[in-house]
Amino acid sequence: MKRRIIAASLVAIVASVQLISGCDRGTGAASEKESTQVKDVTLTMWTHDQDYANLFASEEKIWAKQYPQYHITFKAQVFPASDFWNKELNAMVSNENLPNFLDLEISHFSLFMKPGVLSKYVLDLTPLLGNTQEDLEKLSPYTYQGNVYALESALSPVGYYYQPAIFKKYGIKTPITTWSQFYQDGVKLSQHGIAMAPIAEDGSSAVFQNLFYEAGGSFFNSSGKMTVDSPLAYTTLNYIKQCIDHGVLKMVNSNTFWGPGIYQDYAQGKIAGVIAPDWYASADLQSSAPAMAGKWRLQTMPRWPNSPYTTSTWGGTGIAIAKNTPNSQLAWSLLHFVYATQAGQVQRFNQIGYFPNMKSAQTDPAVVNQPFSYFGGQKIGSIWDAASKNIPEYWQSPLEAEFQTFLGNSLESVYLDKQSVKTAMSQLEDQMKQQQFFGY
């Protein structure tokens, strides 16, 4: 789902934020002393996702009314995701000029957890959030050594998107409430050449992550220690392997999963649904399969026995503020306005469909009562609200990037019958231990 800050003292920053935080959206008084001359100010962003650029650009026009003493221009540069985060990191360590707003996508955040990077180049938001921090969920992926460095763009709960006409044709009742029932229904559909959902065979941990976290597992704990090599992981992987072997899950390569091939399978009725998060609706289904409008529905994930969760978490993007760049107070004010107010999060959901990670916004009528024509008028916000009452934490490690590579290789070896589940998990454990000499 896809920056210039004054080097002032922390006391001065906190003082200004207290004034900024007290402003209502579009009506609050400016925190700076009024001037008879309007000052030109430019706020800049680097991102991999045009949706974020569009959101901030539209919200900036409303937010800027608080500051009549400034003529504020917002400029965003959108880069291809392929090597974007290395570009950001290289710009930091090379002392290049940074933008006000940095895009720190969740799966690449570990790149910035290397010693000294975050504290030197990224603004610590912890003292600025104040009591708002208690209302915000999903801060843990962007927390390092107790400090919060970015605000999340979406809660990213996971559900099951499906085509009701396929299930109705073969007498399958929805919603599907348990993973046991999901498997049984999938076996029934497989007899007609239809899979319940796709799974990427080559290096993507998504389906395993979704089921494992919903079952109560995690890749790392709050201290960054790897916790994936566990009996719960074996159970989850054995279930997935059983689904693959019996045609319940269809193996595809990553190019197919994220390319035109998957939408052909959906449209031709070869795959009935997909296990995916909130951002998949607007970023993938609606944009890549517009002709299928009205043919999809959403339900919460099927349940594991004895698990407290009805969802998992997959993906997300943290928006951070670069340190020591001009206009820090204004940059924080805009980020707070868009990402840390109830009205801002509701607008984000309305504009790009990403479910709020602010508790007070999750039950807002504009979120839970909004019908989506693509989903046949279904109020998908109410589905995400029900799913998200208890969502797993996602803790990171400085070795997350290395871990994901090793995990992808292990999962592929299991899916393709090259290794047993236990052997693959033990190998993953050994590979991660070999990384310890880096000192993380």
Side-chain angles (χ1 to χ4, degrees):
M1 304 32 105
K2 277 285 278 312
R3 298 167 157 114
R4 288 168 170 94
I5 298 176
I6 299 171
S9 68
L10 183 59
V11 173
I13 293 176
V14 173
S16 70
V17 169
Q18 289 174 341
L19 291 173
I20 291 167
S21 299
C23 296
D24 292 332
R25 286 173 57 90
T27 61
S31 61
E32 288 80 4
K33 186 178 179 179
E34 291 188 6
S35 172
T36 56
Q37 184 176 0
V38 176
K39 179 182 178 182
D40 288 332
V41 171
T42 300
L43 298 177
T44 53
M45 168 184 273
W46 286 356
T47 180
H48 77 293
D49 192 326
Q50 186 66 52
D51 281 343
Y52 300 141
N54 294 344
L55 175 65
F56 273 79
S58 63
E59 286 289 271
E60 180 273 329
K61 292 179 175 62
I62 302 170
W63 161 85
K65 294 176 182 178
Q66 300 181 45
Y67 302 99
Q69 69 273 42
Y70 298 122
H71 178 264
I72 301 173
T73 301
F74 177 79
K75 293 183 178 180
Q77 287 183 274
V78 181
F79 297 91
S82 56
D83 200 43
F84 171 60
W85 295 279
N86 280 320
K87 170 186 171 59
E88 281 190 323
L89 185 61
N90 290 335
M92 290 178 183
V93 299
S94 301
N95 292 316
E96 297 178 21
N97 290 332
L98 293 172
N100 292 106
F101 299 103
L102 295 166
D103 172 329
L104 304 182
E105 194 267 347
I106 192 169
S107 64
H108 295 87
F109 184 74
S110 64
L111 295 173
F112 304 88
M113 295 171 76
K114 310 310 182 189
V117 173
L118 287 169
S119 60
K120 185 175 181 180
Y121 301 105
V122 182
L123 185 67
D124 175 13
L125 303 180
T126 314
L128 308 181
L129 286 169
N131 293 334
T132 306
Q133 187 167 342
E134 299 175 5
D135 197 16
L136 286 168
E137 294 186 287
K138 208 177 173 187
L139 294 175
S140 54
Y142 311 101
T143 299
Y144 182 57
Q145 296 180 335
N147 299 322
V148 179
Y149 287 99
L151 298 186
E152 177 56 72
S153 301
L155 185 62
S156 304
V158 177
Y160 179 57
Y161 298 90
Y162 66 95
Q163 300 181 62
I166 294 176
F167 292 126
K168 183 178 180 180
K169 179 178 179 179
Y170 295 103
I172 295 173
K173 295 181 180 179
T174 57
I176 300 166
T177 57
T178 67
W179 286 112
S180 175
Q181 188 62 49
F182 183 91
Y183 171 75
Q184 293 173 31
D185 291 340
V187 170
K188 183 176 181 180
L189 283 186
S190 71
Q191 296 170 1
H192 303 278
I194 305 168
M196 293 287 279
I199 182 170
E201 67 186 25
D202 52 345
S204 173
S205 64
V207 171
F208 171 61
Q209 175 181 315
N210 292 334
L211 272 63
F212 181 51
Y213 272 72
E214 192 207 15
S218 65
F219 292 158
F220 300 95
N221 62 19
S222 59
S223 300
K225 180 181 178 182
M226 194 180 82
T227 53
V228 69
D229 187 12
S230 65
L232 189 58
Y234 301 161
T235 299
T236 305
L237 267 179
N238 282 323
Y239 173 83
I240 292 173
K241 186 64 171 66
Q242 183 183 32
C243 286
I244 291 172
D245 291 345
H246 292 89
V248 177
L249 295 174
K250 179 180 179 179
M251 282 200 301
V252 298
N253 61 43
S254 292
N255 290 334
T256 299
F257 193 99
W258 297 111
I262 202 67
Y263 302 105
Q264 292 176 7
D265 282 347
Y266 293 154
Q268 294 171 5
K270 296 178 180 178
I271 300 179
V274 60
I275 303 162
D278 55 350
W279 47 261
Y280 191 83
S282 60
D284 291 275
L285 273 181
Q286 294 177 63
S287 61
S288 298
M292 297 191 73
K295 297 180 180 180
W296 286 88
R297 299 293 185 274
L298 173 69
Q299 68 154 78
T300 55
M301 289 179 73
R303 293 287 300 272
W304 290 110
N306 305 317
S307 172
Y309 300 117
T310 56
T311 191
S312 181
T313 180
W314 174 14
T317 297
I319 302 299
I321 298 175
K323 249 181 157 179
N324 303 323
T325 55
N327 305 309
S328 64
Q329 297 170 19
L330 288 173
W332 162 246
S333 177
L334 178 56
L335 178 60
H336 180 273
F337 182 84
V338 182
Y339 273 28
T341 64
Q342 180 174 340
Q345 293 222 348
V346 170
Q347 175 58 23
R348 186 175 68 192
F349 178 75
N350 289 334
Q351 185 166 331
I352 59 177
Y354 294 178
F355 190 70
N357 63 307
M358 179 174 266
K359 298 172 189 174
S360 58
Q362 291 170 357
T363 56
D364 191 292
V367 173
V368 296
N369 293 333
Q370 180 187 162
F372 281 75
S373 59
Y374 191 87
F375 295 93
Q378 188 182 26
K379 299 174 182 178
I380 64 172
S382 64
I383 305 295
W384 293 129
D385 177 49
S388 304
K389 296 302 184 185
N390 191 8
I391 188 168
E393 293 282 1
Y394 190 88
W395 298 102
Q396 297 232 41
S397 160
L399 292 171
E400 174 87 14
E402 292 85 348
F403 167 78
Q404 287 291 345
T405 297
F406 297 145
L407 176 61
N409 293 337
S410 295
L411 295 178
E412 183 177 4
S413 70
V414 171
Y415 298 162
L416 298 180
D417 291 318
K418 295 178 180 178
Q419 287 183 317
S420 68
V421 168
K422 188 170 183 179
T423 299
M425 288 293 100
S426 296
Q427 178 177 293
L428 173 63
E429 179 84 15
D430 292 340
Q431 289 172 322
M432 288 299 291
K433 285 179 179 178
Q434 292 173 21
Q435 302 298 308
Q436 292 178 355
F437 73 90
F438 285 106
Y440 303 130

